[in-house]
Amino acid sequence: MKPLRSVAIFAAVGALVAAIALPAYAAAKPAEAATTIQQLAADDAQSLVVASQATAAPLSRGTFTATTPDEIAKKKAEEAAAARAAAAAKVASTAGGRVNTAGYALVAPGSGEVRYPLPPGSYTEGRTIGGGHQGVDMLAPAGTPIYATAAGVVRVSSESYYGYGVGVVIDHVIGGQRVSSTYGHMTYGSRQVQAGQSVSAGQLIGFVGSTGRSTANHLHFEVFINGGIVEPYSWLAANAG
């Protein structure tokens, strides 16, 4: 029994020494023997860039500009006018050359020589020229006032003017050019002018209705320059301002 107990004691002491010595040995292992992040990356055939090696990409400031609200609004208006002019040119290409897309700007915008036929904000833009439709439809409630787009002489004022229903046609000279404007689908009995009468820009001539060949309240507005059709929305944008 004594020899066996001595062997057990020696074994226990040996195990205790090993348990204490191995962690110390591991802690004393040289730092260079440890695996680095770069080595791990190399094993995966990848490249690693640490923060100290990264470089900032150059910032290009030529791709953006600071603009004011007024500049933004002006830019949008220019883009809208360009889009309308492009639409008019497209219509011209399919209308056998009858649509005049040149010389839209006859006077300085905002000069007062050319006015919008309906009050700003009172209408929404509807159909434009094309497919036998020679003007634009300005959608507005019945009774909305209609004004002469420029000074001139009334050529037509009728309660039954073909498909226009209650209509008025005015002849103008704007920027040295012969211009005529047509206003259709007015309310019955609303005409404020007669044929042969001189009118001024912005003068009340009638009220929006749905007469003639019309299915809803709106103003049908046409513009001709020297006998050629022009796209009215673009023409107003270029001259009324």
Side-chain angles (χ1 to χ4, degrees):
M1 295 295 292
K2 287 184 179 181
L4 290 174
R5 187 165 67 180
S6 297
V7 171
I9 291 171
F10 280 117
V13 170
L16 180 62
V17 170
I20 295 172
L22 287 176
Y25 173 77
K29 185 178 180 181
E32 57 271 20
T35 301
T36 66
I37 294 176
Q38 288 84 348
Q39 289 171 330
L40 289 174
D43 292 339
D44 195 29
Q46 301 290 331
S47 61
L48 177 70
V49 178
V50 297
S52 62
Q53 296 172 325
T55 58
L59 179 63
S60 173
R61 299 187 180 275
T63 57
F64 64 92
T65 58
T67 56
T68 65
D70 288 342
E71 290 173 332
I72 294 173
K74 181 179 179 181
K75 182 64 175 177
K76 287 182 177 179
E78 291 174 348
E79 290 175 349
R84 289 172 185 154
K90 183 177 180 180
V91 172
S93 65
T94 60
R98 293 185 304 107
V99 179
N100 179 4
T101 59
Y104 271 28
L106 303 180
V107 296
S111 65
E113 292 186 63
V114 174
R115 313 282 184 89
Y116 281 88
L118 295 181
S122 69
Y123 66 93
T124 56
E125 295 184 357
R127 182 182 176 189
T128 186
I129 56 178
H133 192 251
Q134 297 186 344
V136 295
D137 291 340
M138 307 175 78
L139 312 179
T144 301
I146 301 171
Y147 304 104
T149 196
V153 177
V154 177
R155 174 160 40 103
V156 175
S157 178
S158 172
E159 288 288 292
S160 182
Y161 184 51
Y162 303 107
Y164 299 100
V166 180
V168 169
V169 179
I170 304 176
D171 293 325
H172 323 268
V173 175
I174 305 174
Q177 303 294 313
R178 293 184 298 106
V179 180
S180 69
S181 56
T182 301
Y183 314 76
H185 309 314
M186 293 182 184
T187 299
Y188 286 120
S190 69
R191 291 175 296 122
Q192 304 295 304
V193 294
Q194 299 298 323
Q197 179 180 340
S198 295
V199 296
S200 58
Q203 181 174 330
L204 179 68
I205 61 173
F207 297 89
V208 169
S210 183
T211 57
R213 289 200 295 269
S214 172
T215 57
N217 293 309
H218 70 283
L219 168 64
H220 176 84
F221 181 63
E222 297 179 1
V223 176
F224 290 75
I225 298 178
N226 295 324
I229 305 169
V230 302
E231 202 284 318
Y233 288 139
S234 298
W235 182 78
L236 287 170
N239 294 277

